[in-house]
Amino acid sequence: MAQLLHLGLSFPAQPQQISASSSKTLKLVKSTHGSKISVSTIRKGSANGLPKTQKLNLEVSPHRAVSAVRLMRIEFGGAFAGLLNEKGKGSGKNEMAYVERTLGFRTRELNDQDLRLVTDIVGGTIRWKRYLDHLISSISHDKDISSMEPLLLQILRVGFYEIVKLDMPHYAVVDENVRLAKVALRPGAGNMVNGILRKLAVLKENESLPLPKVEGDDRVQARALATLHSHPVWMVRRWTRYLGQEEAIKLMIWNNSEPSFSLRANHARGFSGADLVTQLNALKVPHKPSPHLDEFVRVKTGLQTVIQAGLLRKGLCSVQDESAGLVVSVADPHPGEVIVDCCAAPGGKTLYMASFLCGQGMVYAVDVNRGRLRILKEAAKTHQVDGVITTIHADLRELPDSKPLKCNKVLLDAPCSGLGVLSKRADLRWNRKLEDMEELKKLQDELLDAASKLVNPGGVLIYSTCSIDPEENDERVDAFLARHPDFHIDAVDRFVPPDFVTDRGFYFSNPVKHSLDGSFAARLVRGS
């Protein structure tokens, strides 16, 4: 599977969970800032034998405290913005442990409304980070806000996002974020937040936010557009060059919109798209059937309801974009076939291909990451396709020499920039750099060469990415064909709707045109 190379730091070690059964009754006391604080006393088994305190602040806004801490974890700890467990909480039972370790206190547990706000604020703040930082810098008259205290900066970003993008009542936003800054940092930080947010509220009300104008030469315009639409400058310049400025702006607007998701019904368990619709109706989750694939249903909201209902846990369905499903359509798996999935983990396409084998044949799932392969194996059991999936832990580039494995169908869903999935991966735009593109193209060429050795004469190699960049897509295919003249292009028009077929016979989903993730696939047939 196309693995997005995450360039963040490692996760910090998880803090120890505090057991409610081992703590004495909470007792209310007063903090120096006037906030109500609850303190639990001794926690059994503490390493040094001293009491373990747990402070509970009942006046700080829970969703703002959690949002600020999650933003800290994403920016400095390498966490993913969309990290969710089955209950929809970013760290499960450890959510408040992260808050306590970062802020020095806990808040009350998040309710469903809090969770929705956290998801919205964290995702939105990351998407609009460049735009928000421009406003913070302009209003605070601090040209280098990177030197600002990290927690203070996150609190300001949250407040700016709430006022500018969520249109929350400014008096509530100011009051709550000031209180958070005072308790988590110090009174002076709260005073600073108060002054900056109040000035922002006045500027917004007067429609006079300090924003750049799109004028001047190409470089100056690219910088202005990068600020207005909150993307790295190099992406704006690249898309303007390939797409033109108007289409580049449309793409950035799509990337900044609230992402929608698709659910794939698992027909390997006898669960059809119609069955999935019935379940969604019962759960009162708004949905729309896919116009392209019978097993897929689109949902804009209510994903957490689906998760909590256990449909994913039971393997009845999975979250998978239609663009990925259409790549499987290009692979066209049939019962009895042997298929090699070269970069398989975490296995979305592997599972979908295996469901078409109807218990006959095999998908060899190859991946360099042993942990992700374990996840794939467990998912295969849940989806009841483990009988037709064999996992192989190996670097594909070394596999052809170390483990002879040839077949008539090979899928290489290559590691890529992920520029087609930026609406869902809000943090990826800030982790990806221009220099990464050259490294990725080199890796894609090496993986294509290795994958080609697994293809029997007359067999097919499917090369796919979740990128919209021609240098990762068409150009990689051209470079491969120049090195391997025994392969030729097989048009995909027999496998996907014509609207997804390019002039050269490749599959391509355009986020703006198709309202799906951007993806690409080419069928390359080896001569007999």
Side-chain angles (χ1 to χ4, degrees), residues 51-290:
K52 175 79 173 181
T53 61
Q54 177 184 335
K55 299 178 181 179
L56 177 61
N57 189 301
L58 300 177
E59 293 189 350
V60 167
S61 167
H63 81 258
R64 292 181 175 92
V66 171
S67 295
V69 171
R70 282 202 194 178
L71 289 167
M72 292 275 285
R73 291 179 60 209
I74 291 163
E75 185 157 351
F76 299 104
F80 287 162
L83 194 64
L84 297 171
N85 70 358
E86 290 185 356
K87 294 184 179 179
K89 298 181 181 181
S91 312
K93 294 179 181 178
N94 283 328
E95 184 77 72
M96 283 304 158
Y98 279 108
V99 171
E100 182 181 29
R101 188 173 65 177
T102 306
L103 305 183
F105 58 86
R106 296 183 174 217
T107 69
R108 64 168 173 78
E109 291 295 326
L110 302 178
N111 59 33
D112 288 344
Q113 182 181 4
D114 293 326
L115 284 170
R116 287 192 292 270
L117 279 169
V118 169
T119 300
D120 191 348
I121 290 170
V122 171
T125 300
I126 293 169
R127 284 188 189 89
W128 290 99
K129 183 170 74 169
R130 186 184 181 95
Y131 175 88
L132 298 173
D133 286 359
H134 169 82
L135 292 178
I136 294 170
S137 175
S138 301
I139 293 174
S140 67
H141 304 295
D142 186 348
K143 292 184 178 180
D144 184 18
I145 62 171
S146 62
S147 61
M148 190 178 288
E149 286 178 273
L151 179 58
L152 177 60
L153 179 56
Q154 303 304 342
I155 293 172
L156 284 171
R157 284 171 175 166
V158 168
F160 271 58
Y161 180 74
E162 290 179 321
I163 290 174
V164 175
K165 293 298 180 181
L166 295 185
D167 290 320
M168 287 186 175
H170 70 265
Y171 55 86
V173 175
V174 174
D175 182 61
E176 295 289 350
N177 283 289
V178 166
R179 182 180 292 120
L180 174 59
K182 285 184 175 181
V183 177
L185 291 168
R186 60 195 172 281
N191 294 337
M192 180 180 178
V193 170
N194 181 61
I196 294 174
L197 289 182
R198 286 185 182 279
K199 186 172 181 181
L200 170 70
V202 171
L203 291 171
K204 180 165 187 294
E205 190 172 340
N206 295 335
E207 298 183 351
S208 56
L209 292 175
L211 296 173
K213 295 181 179 179
V214 184
E215 56 187 17
D217 60 28
D218 291 347
R219 289 177 179 270
V220 175
Q221 288 190 40
R223 285 197 293 272
L225 288 171
T227 296
L228 292 172
H229 298 283
S230 198
H231 280 68
V233 175
W234 72 267
M235 285 187 190
V236 178
R237 298 195 66 195
R238 194 176 187 88
W239 292 337
T240 301
R241 183 170 75 249
Y242 283 129
L243 306 173
Q245 188 177 100
E246 183 178 350
E247 290 302 312
I249 291 172
K250 289 179 182 178
L251 178 58
M252 289 187 285
I253 291 172
W254 165 262
N255 290 340
N256 287 332
S257 63
E258 188 68 22
S260 60
F261 297 89
S262 292
L263 297 172
R264 175 179 66 82
N266 179 18
H267 60 249
R269 294 206 52 176
F271 193 72
S272 67
D275 294 329
L276 179 56
V277 167
T278 299
Q279 289 287 333
L280 294 175
N281 284 333
L283 294 170
K284 298 182 179 179
V285 172
H287 59 276
K288 186 188 332 182
S290 164

